[in-house]
Amino acid sequence: MKRLALLLSSLVLAACSGHTIHRVEVDLLSFIPQDQRQGELNLLATAQVFFPDDLAGQLVEVPGSEALVEGKLGLQVALKNTGTLPSTLNLEVRLGPESDTNLYDGQGGDYAAIQQSVYLNLGEEKAVTLLLYIQPDTQAFDLIKSGRFRIGARLNLAGDKVQYTLTEAEVVLRLKLFDLIPNP
C-alpha cells in the first residue's frame, strides 16, 4: 500500500512540475554604473546618450532560454526640460545578436525593438515607460530564445536642455524548463 501511495504521489508531482512556468528576471539597470544613469542632454554638448555607454550594448546570457514561453522588456526614464525651449526626445531600445559590435548602425542583425518620441514643454517633467511584450513568432522572441543577445538603449535630444534619470531597465522571461527534458 505504501508503494502504491508513493507511486501515485510521484506521478502527481511529475504532472504538476511538467506544467510549471519559471520566471527569470534580468535587472539590466545593474549593468549600468550609477553615475551613467542620470545626466543632462544639451544640444551644444551632448545631444544623445547610450545605456550602457558602449555601442555594442550589454551582452545578456539566459541559460535555458530555449524553453522560453513569453516575456517582456521594460525601460523607464524620468525626464525634465530644464532649457529655454520646448524639446523632443527620441527613446529607443535596440536588440541584436551576440556577435553584433554596434547595436545602432542597422547592420549585423540589430534592430529597434521599441521606439517612442516624447515632447516636453518648458519646465515639464515626465516619466516615460517603454514596454515590449515578447511573444512567439517575433524577432525579439527568436533572438532571446537563442540564449545570448545584446541589448542597448539610446536617448536623442532635439531641443535645448533636458535632465534624464534612468529608473528601470529589465527583462522578465517566462520559461517552461521541463520542456528541456527529452521525451523517451
PDB file of all heavy atoms in Angstrom, residues 35-67:
ATOM      1  N   ASP A  35      26.720  56.403 -11.945  1.00  0.00           N
ATOM      2  CA  ASP A  35      26.983  57.752 -12.456  1.00  0.00           C
ATOM      3  C   ASP A  35      26.569  57.931 -13.920  1.00  0.00           C
ATOM      4  O   ASP A  35      26.520  59.057 -14.402  1.00  0.00           O
ATOM      5  CB  ASP A  35      28.452  58.127 -12.268  1.00  0.00           C
ATOM      6  CG  ASP A  35      29.404  57.237 -13.045  1.00  0.00           C
ATOM      7  OD1 ASP A  35      29.044  56.080 -13.353  1.00  0.00           O
ATOM      8  OD2 ASP A  35      30.521  57.705 -13.346  1.00  0.00           O
ATOM      9  N   GLN A  36      26.260  56.861 -14.625  1.00  0.00           N
ATOM     10  CA  GLN A  36      25.817  56.961 -16.015  1.00  0.00           C
ATOM     11  C   GLN A  36      24.294  56.886 -16.145  1.00  0.00           C
ATOM     12  O   GLN A  36      23.763  57.027 -17.238  1.00  0.00           O
ATOM     13  CB  GLN A  36      26.446  55.852 -16.854  1.00  0.00           C
ATOM     14  CG  GLN A  36      27.924  55.994 -17.014  1.00  0.00           C
ATOM     15  CD  GLN A  36      28.531  54.848 -17.806  1.00  0.00           C
ATOM     16  OE1 GLN A  36      27.829  54.003 -18.357  1.00  0.00           O
ATOM     17  NE2 GLN A  36      29.852  54.812 -17.839  1.00  0.00           N
ATOM     18  N   ARG A  37      23.594  56.665 -15.048  1.00  0.00           N
ATOM     19  CA  ARG A  37      22.130  56.521 -15.096  1.00  0.00           C
ATOM     20  C   ARG A  37      21.397  57.852 -15.138  1.00  0.00           C
ATOM     21  O   ARG A  37      20.203  57.897 -15.373  1.00  0.00           O
ATOM     22  CB  ARG A  37      21.634  55.735 -13.881  1.00  0.00           C
ATOM     23  CG  ARG A  37      22.131  54.319 -13.849  1.00  0.00           C
ATOM     24  CD  ARG A  37      21.609  53.612 -12.634  1.00  0.00           C
ATOM     25  NE  ARG A  37      22.345  52.375 -12.417  1.00  0.00           N
ATOM     26  CZ  ARG A  37      22.174  51.589 -11.389  1.00  0.00           C
ATOM     27  NH1 ARG A  37      21.266  51.896 -10.469  1.00  0.00           N
ATOM     28  NH2 ARG A  37      22.883  50.493 -11.255  1.00  0.00           N
ATOM     29  N   GLN A  38      22.114  58.940 -14.892  1.00  0.00           N
ATOM     30  CA  GLN A  38      21.481  60.248 -14.926  1.00  0.00           C
ATOM     31  C   GLN A  38      22.443  61.282 -15.466  1.00  0.00           C
ATOM     32  O   GLN A  38      23.651  61.091 -15.443  1.00  0.00           O
ATOM     33  CB  GLN A  38      20.976  60.659 -13.550  1.00  0.00           C
ATOM     34  CG  GLN A  38      22.028  60.735 -12.493  1.00  0.00           C
ATOM     35  CD  GLN A  38      21.398  60.987 -11.131  1.00  0.00           C
ATOM     36  OE1 GLN A  38      20.188  60.988 -10.977  1.00  0.00           O
ATOM     37  NE2 GLN A  38      22.226  61.209 -10.137  1.00  0.00           N
ATOM     38  N   GLY A  39      21.875  62.353 -15.981  1.00  0.00           N
ATOM     39  CA  GLY A  39      22.708  63.412 -16.543  1.00  0.00           C
ATOM     40  C   GLY A  39      21.841  64.432 -17.252  1.00  0.00           C
ATOM     41  O   GLY A  39      20.622  64.486 -17.048  1.00  0.00           O
ATOM     42  N   GLU A  40      22.492  65.206 -18.100  1.00  0.00           N
ATOM     43  CA  GLU A  40      21.775  66.236 -18.841  1.00  0.00           C
ATOM     44  C   GLU A  40      22.140  66.141 -20.312  1.00  0.00           C
ATOM     45  O   GLU A  40      23.314  66.052 -20.672  1.00  0.00           O
ATOM     46  CB  GLU A  40      22.138  67.620 -18.314  1.00  0.00           C
ATOM     47  CG  GLU A  40      21.387  68.740 -19.021  1.00  0.00           C
ATOM     48  CD  GLU A  40      21.679  70.092 -18.409  1.00  0.00           C
ATOM     49  OE1 GLU A  40      22.744  70.648 -18.714  1.00  0.00           O
ATOM     50  OE2 GLU A  40      20.834  70.569 -17.624  1.00  0.00           O
ATOM     51  N   LEU A  41      21.121  66.133 -21.141  1.00  0.00           N
ATOM     52  CA  LEU A  41      21.324  66.236 -22.578  1.00  0.00           C
ATOM     53  C   LEU A  41      21.295  67.713 -22.920  1.00  0.00           C
ATOM     54  O   LEU A  41      20.423  68.447 -22.472  1.00  0.00           O
ATOM     55  CB  LEU A  41      20.223  65.499 -23.335  1.00  0.00           C
ATOM     56  CG  LEU A  41      20.265  63.982 -23.228  1.00  0.00           C
ATOM     57  CD1 LEU A  41      19.019  63.375 -23.847  1.00  0.00           C
ATOM     58  CD2 LEU A  41      21.501  63.439 -23.894  1.00  0.00           C
ATOM     59  N   ASN A  42      22.267  68.140 -23.705  1.00  0.00           N
ATOM     60  CA  ASN A  42      22.417  69.542 -24.040  1.00  0.00           C
ATOM     61  C   ASN A  42      22.742  69.612 -25.524  1.00  0.00           C
ATOM     62  O   ASN A  42      23.688  68.972 -25.977  1.00  0.00           O
ATOM     63  CB  ASN A  42      23.553  70.127 -23.194  1.00  0.00           C
ATOM     64  CG  ASN A  42      23.780  71.589 -23.432  1.00  0.00           C
ATOM     65  OD1 ASN A  42      23.613  72.094 -24.534  1.00  0.00           O
ATOM     66  ND2 ASN A  42      24.188  72.273 -22.380  1.00  0.00           N
ATOM     67  N   LEU A  43      21.987  70.373 -26.273  1.00  0.00           N
ATOM     68  CA  LEU A  43      22.170  70.445 -27.716  1.00  0.00           C
ATOM     69  C   LEU A  43      23.596  70.864 -28.085  1.00  0.00           C
ATOM     70  O   LEU A  43      24.138  70.410 -29.087  1.00  0.00           O
ATOM     71  CB  LEU A  43      21.149  71.402 -28.330  1.00  0.00           C
ATOM     72  CG  LEU A  43      21.064  71.394 -29.848  1.00  0.00           C
ATOM     73  CD1 LEU A  43      20.732  69.993 -30.359  1.00  0.00           C
ATOM     74  CD2 LEU A  43      20.041  72.375 -30.333  1.00  0.00           C
ATOM     75  N   LEU A  44      24.245  71.681 -27.268  1.00  0.00           N
ATOM     76  CA  LEU A  44      25.589  72.154 -27.582  1.00  0.00           C
ATOM     77  C   LEU A  44      26.676  71.154 -27.192  1.00  0.00           C
ATOM     78  O   LEU A  44      27.739  71.134 -27.802  1.00  0.00           O
ATOM     79  CB  LEU A  44      25.856  73.487 -26.877  1.00  0.00           C
ATOM     80  CG  LEU A  44      24.926  74.629 -27.281  1.00  0.00           C
ATOM     81  CD1 LEU A  44      25.222  75.867 -26.447  1.00  0.00           C
ATOM     82  CD2 LEU A  44      25.046  74.922 -28.768  1.00  0.00           C
ATOM     83  N   ALA A  45      26.443  70.327 -26.190  1.00  0.00           N
ATOM     84  CA  ALA A  45      27.492  69.415 -25.721  1.00  0.00           C
ATOM     85  C   ALA A  45      27.170  67.953 -26.016  1.00  0.00           C
ATOM     86  O   ALA A  45      27.866  67.297 -26.790  1.00  0.00           O
ATOM     87  CB  ALA A  45      27.714  69.618 -24.218  1.00  0.00           C
ATOM     88  N   THR A  46      26.131  67.423 -25.401  1.00  0.00           N
ATOM     89  CA  THR A  46      25.770  66.016 -25.559  1.00  0.00           C
ATOM     90  C   THR A  46      24.318  65.926 -25.976  1.00  0.00           C
ATOM     91  O   THR A  46      23.423  66.146 -25.162  1.00  0.00           O
ATOM     92  CB  THR A  46      25.966  65.260 -24.221  1.00  0.00           C
ATOM     93  OG1 THR A  46      27.292  65.470 -23.766  1.00  0.00           O
ATOM     94  CG2 THR A  46      25.713  63.781 -24.392  1.00  0.00           C
ATOM     95  N   ALA A  47      24.086  65.600 -27.246  1.00  0.00           N
ATOM     96  CA  ALA A  47      22.717  65.532 -27.743  1.00  0.00           C
ATOM     97  C   ALA A  47      22.151  64.118 -27.697  1.00  0.00           C
ATOM     98  O   ALA A  47      20.981  63.919 -27.953  1.00  0.00           O
ATOM     99  CB  ALA A  47      22.647  66.076 -29.164  1.00  0.00           C
ATOM    100  N   GLN A  48      22.984  63.130 -27.366  1.00  0.00           N
ATOM    101  CA  GLN A  48      22.484  61.763 -27.222  1.00  0.00           C
ATOM    102  C   GLN A  48      23.307  61.012 -26.192  1.00  0.00           C
ATOM    103  O   GLN A  48      24.458  61.354 -25.929  1.00  0.00           O
ATOM    104  CB  GLN A  48      22.459  61.018 -28.556  1.00  0.00           C
ATOM    105  CG  GLN A  48      23.778  60.606 -29.112  1.00  0.00           C
ATOM    106  CD  GLN A  48      23.597  59.808 -30.407  1.00  0.00           C
ATOM    107  OE1 GLN A  48      22.517  59.363 -30.739  1.00  0.00           O
ATOM    108  NE2 GLN A  48      24.678  59.627 -31.130  1.00  0.00           N
ATOM    109  N   VAL A  49      22.665  60.001 -25.600  1.00  0.00           N
ATOM    110  CA  VAL A  49      23.327  59.182 -24.595  1.00  0.00           C
ATOM    111  C   VAL A  49      22.932  57.734 -24.845  1.00  0.00           C
ATOM    112  O   VAL A  49      21.837  57.445 -25.324  1.00  0.00           O
ATOM    113  CB  VAL A  49      22.960  59.655 -23.162  1.00  0.00           C
ATOM    114  CG1 VAL A  49      21.497  59.460 -22.863  1.00  0.00           C
ATOM    115  CG2 VAL A  49      23.822  58.986 -22.122  1.00  0.00           C
ATOM    116  N   PHE A  50      23.871  56.824 -24.538  1.00  0.00           N
ATOM    117  CA  PHE A  50      23.650  55.390 -24.716  1.00  0.00           C
ATOM    118  C   PHE A  50      23.654  54.700 -23.359  1.00  0.00           C
ATOM    119  O   PHE A  50      24.441  55.057 -22.484  1.00  0.00           O
ATOM    120  CB  PHE A  50      24.764  54.777 -25.582  1.00  0.00           C
ATOM    121  CG  PHE A  50      24.840  55.351 -26.963  1.00  0.00           C
ATOM    122  CD1 PHE A  50      25.713  56.389 -27.256  1.00  0.00           C
ATOM    123  CD2 PHE A  50      24.037  54.859 -27.971  1.00  0.00           C
ATOM    124  CE1 PHE A  50      25.785  56.918 -28.530  1.00  0.00           C
ATOM    125  CE2 PHE A  50      24.095  55.380 -29.256  1.00  0.00           C
ATOM    126  CZ  PHE A  50      24.978  56.418 -29.531  1.00  0.00           C
ATOM    127  N   PHE A  51      22.791  53.707 -23.200  1.00  0.00           N
ATOM    128  CA  PHE A  51      22.745  52.878 -21.992  1.00  0.00           C
ATOM    129  C   PHE A  51      22.938  51.431 -22.416  1.00  0.00           C
ATOM    130  O   PHE A  51      22.086  50.917 -23.126  1.00  0.00           O
ATOM    131  CB  PHE A  51      21.397  53.004 -21.269  1.00  0.00           C
ATOM    132  CG  PHE A  51      21.007  54.405 -20.912  1.00  0.00           C
ATOM    133  CD1 PHE A  51      20.025  55.069 -21.622  1.00  0.00           C
ATOM    134  CD2 PHE A  51      21.621  55.068 -19.861  1.00  0.00           C
ATOM    135  CE1 PHE A  51      19.655  56.352 -21.300  1.00  0.00           C
ATOM    136  CE2 PHE A  51      21.255  56.355 -19.526  1.00  0.00           C
ATOM    137  CZ  PHE A  51      20.274  57.000 -20.251  1.00  0.00           C
ATOM    138  N   PRO A  52      23.981  50.724 -22.025  1.00  0.00           N
ATOM    139  CA  PRO A  52      25.194  51.217 -21.375  1.00  0.00           C
ATOM    140  C   PRO A  52      26.004  52.077 -22.337  1.00  0.00           C
ATOM    141  O   PRO A  52      25.701  52.137 -23.528  1.00  0.00           O
ATOM    142  CB  PRO A  52      25.948  49.937 -21.012  1.00  0.00           C
ATOM    143  CG  PRO A  52      25.515  48.936 -22.015  1.00  0.00           C
ATOM    144  CD  PRO A  52      24.098  49.303 -22.360  1.00  0.00           C
ATOM    145  N   ASP A  53      27.026  52.694 -21.821  1.00  0.00           N
ATOM    146  CA  ASP A  53      27.845  53.623 -22.591  1.00  0.00           C
ATOM    147  C   ASP A  53      28.818  52.845 -23.493  1.00  0.00           C
ATOM    148  O   ASP A  53      30.023  52.997 -23.408  1.00  0.00           O
ATOM    149  CB  ASP A  53      28.610  54.539 -21.631  1.00  0.00           C
ATOM    150  CG  ASP A  53      29.251  55.704 -22.346  1.00  0.00           C
ATOM    151  OD1 ASP A  53      28.877  55.960 -23.515  1.00  0.00           O
ATOM    152  OD2 ASP A  53      30.135  56.342 -21.763  1.00  0.00           O
ATOM    153  N   ASP A  54      28.263  51.988 -24.345  1.00  0.00           N
ATOM    154  CA  ASP A  54      29.049  51.140 -25.240  1.00  0.00           C
ATOM    155  C   ASP A  54      28.168  50.835 -26.446  1.00  0.00           C
ATOM    156  O   ASP A  54      27.038  50.368 -26.290  1.00  0.00           O
ATOM    157  CB  ASP A  54      29.440  49.843 -24.516  1.00  0.00           C
ATOM    158  CG  ASP A  54      30.294  48.918 -25.358  1.00  0.00           C
ATOM    159  OD1 ASP A  54      30.508  49.194 -26.556  1.00  0.00           O
ATOM    160  OD2 ASP A  54      30.751  47.899 -24.817  1.00  0.00           O
ATOM    161  N   LEU A  55      28.669  51.100 -27.639  1.00  0.00           N
ATOM    162  CA  LEU A  55      27.867  50.882 -28.845  1.00  0.00           C
ATOM    163  C   LEU A  55      27.492  49.420 -29.054  1.00  0.00           C
ATOM    164  O   LEU A  55      26.543  49.113 -29.756  1.00  0.00           O
ATOM    165  CB  LEU A  55      28.605  51.413 -30.074  1.00  0.00           C
ATOM    166  CG  LEU A  55      28.802  52.932 -30.111  1.00  0.00           C
ATOM    167  CD1 LEU A  55      29.573  53.334 -31.365  1.00  0.00           C
ATOM    168  CD2 LEU A  55      27.479  53.671 -30.048  1.00  0.00           C
ATOM    169  N   ALA A  56      28.231  48.511 -28.437  1.00  0.00           N
ATOM    170  CA  ALA A  56      27.903  47.079 -28.548  1.00  0.00           C
ATOM    171  C   ALA A  56      26.756  46.700 -27.632  1.00  0.00           C
ATOM    172  O   ALA A  56      26.240  45.586 -27.701  1.00  0.00           O
ATOM    173  CB  ALA A  56      29.135  46.225 -28.224  1.00  0.00           C
ATOM    174  N   GLY A  57      26.331  47.597 -26.751  1.00  0.00           N
ATOM    175  CA  GLY A  57      25.255  47.285 -25.814  1.00  0.00           C
ATOM    176  C   GLY A  57      25.740  46.331 -24.735  1.00  0.00           C
ATOM    177  O   GLY A  57      26.936  46.169 -24.514  1.00  0.00           O
ATOM    178  N   GLN A  58      24.791  45.702 -24.056  1.00  0.00           N
ATOM    179  CA  GLN A  58      25.096  44.764 -22.980  1.00  0.00           C
ATOM    180  C   GLN A  58      24.789  43.351 -23.452  1.00  0.00           C
ATOM    181  O   GLN A  58      23.693  43.079 -23.929  1.00  0.00           O
ATOM    182  CB  GLN A  58      24.253  45.088 -21.746  1.00  0.00           C
ATOM    183  CG  GLN A  58      24.443  44.136 -20.593  1.00  0.00           C
ATOM    184  CD  GLN A  58      25.867  44.165 -20.063  1.00  0.00           C
ATOM    185  OE1 GLN A  58      26.431  45.226 -19.821  1.00  0.00           O
ATOM    186  NE2 GLN A  58      26.460  43.003 -19.899  1.00  0.00           N
ATOM    187  N   LEU A  59      25.763  42.461 -23.306  1.00  0.00           N
ATOM    188  CA  LEU A  59      25.538  41.053 -23.617  1.00  0.00           C
ATOM    189  C   LEU A  59      24.739  40.426 -22.488  1.00  0.00           C
ATOM    190  O   LEU A  59      25.079  40.573 -21.317  1.00  0.00           O
ATOM    191  CB  LEU A  59      26.863  40.312 -23.787  1.00  0.00           C
ATOM    192  CG  LEU A  59      26.754  38.814 -24.072  1.00  0.00           C
ATOM    193  CD1 LEU A  59      26.071  38.552 -25.400  1.00  0.00           C
ATOM    194  CD2 LEU A  59      28.144  38.177 -24.054  1.00  0.00           C
ATOM    195  N   VAL A  60      23.648  39.753 -22.835  1.00  0.00           N
ATOM    196  CA  VAL A  60      22.803  39.080 -21.849  1.00  0.00           C
ATOM    197  C   VAL A  60      22.781  37.599 -22.197  1.00  0.00           C
ATOM    198  O   VAL A  60      22.543  37.230 -23.347  1.00  0.00           O
ATOM    199  CB  VAL A  60      21.364  39.642 -21.860  1.00  0.00           C
ATOM    200  CG1 VAL A  60      20.478  38.907 -20.864  1.00  0.00           C
ATOM    201  CG2 VAL A  60      21.367  41.134 -21.574  1.00  0.00           C
ATOM    202  N   GLU A  61      23.050  36.772 -21.193  1.00  0.00           N
ATOM    203  CA  GLU A  61      23.010  35.324 -21.361  1.00  0.00           C
ATOM    204  C   GLU A  61      21.883  34.773 -20.501  1.00  0.00           C
ATOM    205  O   GLU A  61      21.797  35.098 -19.327  1.00  0.00           O
ATOM    206  CB  GLU A  61      24.329  34.703 -20.936  1.00  0.00           C
ATOM    207  CG  GLU A  61      25.507  35.162 -21.774  1.00  0.00           C
ATOM    208  CD  GLU A  61      26.815  34.531 -21.324  1.00  0.00           C
ATOM    209  OE1 GLU A  61      26.870  33.291 -21.198  1.00  0.00           O
ATOM    210  OE2 GLU A  61      27.761  35.304 -21.105  1.00  0.00           O
ATOM    211  N   VAL A  62      21.035  33.940 -21.104  1.00  0.00           N
ATOM    212  CA  VAL A  62      19.904  33.366 -20.393  1.00  0.00           C
ATOM    213  C   VAL A  62      19.975  31.843 -20.520  1.00  0.00           C
ATOM    214  O   VAL A  62      19.587  31.289 -21.547  1.00  0.00           O
ATOM    215  CB  VAL A  62      18.560  33.877 -20.941  1.00  0.00           C
ATOM    216  CG1 VAL A  62      17.406  33.305 -20.142  1.00  0.00           C
ATOM    217  CG2 VAL A  62      18.517  35.391 -20.951  1.00  0.00           C
ATOM    218  N   PRO A  63      20.503  31.166 -19.491  1.00  0.00           N
ATOM    219  CA  PRO A  63      20.534  29.697 -19.539  1.00  0.00           C
ATOM    220  C   PRO A  63      19.117  29.132 -19.598  1.00  0.00           C
ATOM    221  O   PRO A  63      18.219  29.616 -18.917  1.00  0.00           O
ATOM    222  CB  PRO A  63      21.214  29.304 -18.222  1.00  0.00           C
ATOM    223  CG  PRO A  63      21.829  30.547 -17.689  1.00  0.00           C
ATOM    224  CD  PRO A  63      21.088  31.694 -18.278  1.00  0.00           C
ATOM    225  N   GLY A  64      18.903  28.138 -20.440  1.00  0.00           N
ATOM    226  CA  GLY A  64      17.594  27.511 -20.548  1.00  0.00           C
ATOM    227  C   GLY A  64      16.616  28.298 -21.389  1.00  0.00           C
ATOM    228  O   GLY A  64      15.422  28.003 -21.406  1.00  0.00           O
ATOM    229  N   SER A  65      17.094  29.300 -22.103  1.00  0.00           N
ATOM    230  CA  SER A  65      16.190  30.164 -22.865  1.00  0.00           C
ATOM    231  C   SER A  65      15.475  29.438 -24.004  1.00  0.00           C
ATOM    232  O   SER A  65      14.469  29.934 -24.502  1.00  0.00           O
ATOM    233  CB  SER A  65      16.942  31.365 -23.420  1.00  0.00           C
ATOM    234  OG  SER A  65      17.939  30.921 -24.314  1.00  0.00           O
ATOM    235  N   GLU A  66      15.962  28.265 -24.389  1.00  0.00           N
ATOM    236  CA  GLU A  66      15.253  27.519 -25.430  1.00  0.00           C
ATOM    237  C   GLU A  66      13.881  27.053 -24.946  1.00  0.00           C
ATOM    238  O   GLU A  66      13.058  26.606 -25.733  1.00  0.00           O
ATOM    239  CB  GLU A  66      16.085  26.341 -25.960  1.00  0.00           C
ATOM    240  CG  GLU A  66      16.546  25.369 -24.917  1.00  0.00           C
ATOM    241  CD  GLU A  66      17.893  25.722 -24.274  1.00  0.00           C
ATOM    242  OE1 GLU A  66      18.376  26.851 -24.396  1.00  0.00           O
ATOM    243  OE2 GLU A  66      18.443  24.837 -23.610  1.00  0.00           O
ATOM    244  N   ALA A  67      13.614  27.181 -23.639  1.00  0.00           N
ATOM    245  CA  ALA A  67      12.301  26.844 -23.071  1.00  0.00           C
ATOM    246  C   ALA A  67      11.433  28.092 -22.892  1.00  0.00           C
ATOM    247  O   ALA A  67      10.451  28.082 -22.164  1.00  0.00           O
ATOM    248  CB  ALA A  67      12.490  26.145 -21.729  1.00  0.00           C
TER     249      ALA A  67
END
